[in-house]
Amino acid sequence: VKYSREEFLREEEDRKERSQELENGWGLESNPAWEKFGFRGAVAKLLYERGAELVERGQQREGRSLMRKAVRFANCARLARSGTCARYPLEHKFFIPQGCEVIFCRECAHRARQALFVAYFQVIRNAVLEFAGEWEAYDALHRVLADTRTELRFRAEAENSLRELWARVGGQLRKQGWVLARINFTIWSDGSEITPERVKKMNGAVRSTMQTSIGKARGYGMLFMDEVGFETRGHIRERKAGGLNLHAHGLYFGPYLDWERTRDLWMRETEKRFPQVSRGFWVQAVRGLKSDPEGAIRHALNHMLKYVSKPPAVTAARLTSLIAAFNTAKRVHSLGLFYGKKPKREKRDCPCPKCRSIGIASTISFQGDVLPNGGCIPRLASIEELRAQGYQPLYGDGRTSNFGDVVREYTDGDSP
């Protein structure tokens, strides 16, 4: 939906003035600009100051990155893109919050979890199918089921064939002795602050341990993510290392893994990289891989990715330290058969959820300024203003309302 260029320029000028007002007082103890953002402002202020210190020490790239993250973190979910239904623009009005995409942000965590699940479910599923030699047959059946013009009798036949295909996959995995397993690596911690260097060393130790244990770089597949403990006490009497216990949760697909040998390799690798050797290695097979491979992958991946949305801290200082620790380090990593390009999602028009609920086909048109080259600068407005004008939140990617729907959409199964 196009609105006048004068309105767009006026709103853009207002946004620039508000941003300049905030920027003029950054880093000052007496500056009230950060305070109006509450807890987020406290974290953002500390994060910005850390970035400024790095810039002063000559670490321009890392420092500027933290400073930009501070501004994004403070403004997360305050602004949103607005859009209206093509059929009923006055009644069906929606907005999508503008996230900051900063690690450990609770507002962005669920969207990040959705994106990771959609991408890596396909990566892992395809790796299992290719290992069993059933990828081409699966792809053909999937195309039949995805085609809305397919007749009911052919659809039923395709569904039966798909069940038989997964049974063959399970039989092939049984024959080859391959497993799907949850796997954990933990390093010893004395409660000191986690640093980017420490994170990178742990990730390097995980990679080296797995490659040495299996013997072939492409002889297995593994996805793992870095995790930290929670700051305050929970179900246990006392938090070990003050909740700063860096560890990794992984999902492993490959031949049977010898626990004792892999533990010894992990001890050797941690002894090389850290002051104290670590014995923290754990592995457990995922149930159901042989009988229902697709379901086992779905449930295991969902279980692992729950840590993306797990809050790590309750104080601004701790959360700032953790964001800074992962400033130049990735949190999610793929190895072996799971390494490579994640499938690109097909670009589709965003359907109107209200129209879809009553069986009407209609799409959402997002408001903004249309450029001569065909592009568009989206209109951003405060969520408070949009709600006052009758706009409602449009969750996920516009086609789903929660994580369970994402699971169903991309796996043709029940949500976990």
Side-chain angles (χ1 to χ4, degrees), residues 99-293:
C100 65
E101 299 182 1
V102 173
I103 195 169
F104 298 120
C105 172
R106 296 193 68 177
E107 293 289 340
C108 299
H110 291 290
R111 289 194 294 274
R113 183 183 174 190
Q114 288 180 7
L116 288 168
F117 182 91
V118 170
Y120 282 110
F121 175 81
Q122 296 182 65
V123 169
I124 297 172
R125 181 198 62 194
N126 294 351
V128 172
L129 287 167
E130 288 176 0
F131 172 80
E134 296 286 355
W135 162 246
E136 292 184 0
Y138 173 86
D139 187 49
L141 290 172
H142 184 72
R143 290 178 184 275
V144 172
L145 293 172
D147 191 345
T148 57
R149 298 169 298 179
T150 302
E151 295 182 16
L152 289 177
R153 62 190 181 93
F154 293 124
R155 184 176 294 276
E157 291 176 4
E159 289 174 349
N160 289 332
S161 298
L162 190 61
R163 283 191 288 270
E164 294 173 359
L165 181 148
W166 281 115
R168 293 197 303 272
V169 170
Q172 186 66 18
L173 295 174
R174 218 171 11 249
K175 181 180 178 181
Q176 298 291 335
W178 276 42
V179 298
L180 183 71
R182 297 187 180 99
I183 189 167
N184 288 355
F185 294 91
T186 305
I187 61 172
W188 179 85
S189 174
D190 60 359
S192 58
E193 184 174 319
I194 297 173
T195 63
E197 293 74 22
R198 191 173 168 193
V199 174
K200 292 175 182 177
K201 285 181 180 180
M202 185 191 74
N203 293 333
V206 171
R207 291 189 183 93
S208 182
T209 298
M210 293 304 299
Q211 289 174 6
T212 306
S213 180
I214 303 301
K216 294 189 296 183
R218 300 288 293 180
Y220 71 103
M222 181 171 164
L223 179 72
F224 73 97
M225 65 172 295
D226 302 329
E227 177 58 19
V228 296
F230 188 55
E231 182 178 9
T232 58
R233 292 191 301 175
H235 61 284
I236 58 178
R237 182 180 296 275
E238 185 176 342
R239 299 299 304 177
K240 294 182 180 179
L244 287 170
N245 54 316
L246 183 63
H247 55 283
H249 295 279
L251 189 59
Y252 166 82
F253 173 65
Y256 174 79
L257 200 62
D258 185 278
W259 171 79
E260 187 172 358
R261 179 172 180 271
T262 309
R263 180 207 60 189
D264 292 343
L265 289 171
W266 175 244
M267 291 171 62
R268 188 179 74 185
E269 291 298 329
T270 54
E271 187 176 18
K272 289 180 185 177
R273 294 169 168 82
F274 299 100
Q276 185 165 331
V277 64
S278 298
R279 300 171 57 89
F281 171 71
W282 174 88
V283 60
Q284 183 179 52
V286 174
R287 295 180 180 179
L289 180 67
K290 312 296 173 58
S291 58
D292 181 15

Side-chain angles (χ1 to χ4, degrees), residues 7 32 40 86 194 210 241 271 332 340 383 415:
E7 290 178 315
R40 280 187 170 272
I194 297 173
M210 293 304 299
E271 187 176 18
V332 179
I383 292 179
S415 67

Side-chain angles (χ1 to χ4, degrees), residues 4 27 36 39 45-46 54 83 103 108 119 137 196 227 259 361 368 374 399:
S4 72
K36 67 181 181 182
F39 178 77
K45 181 177 182 292
L46 293 173
L54 290 176
I103 195 169
C108 299
E227 177 58 19
W259 171 79
R399 293 182 291 277

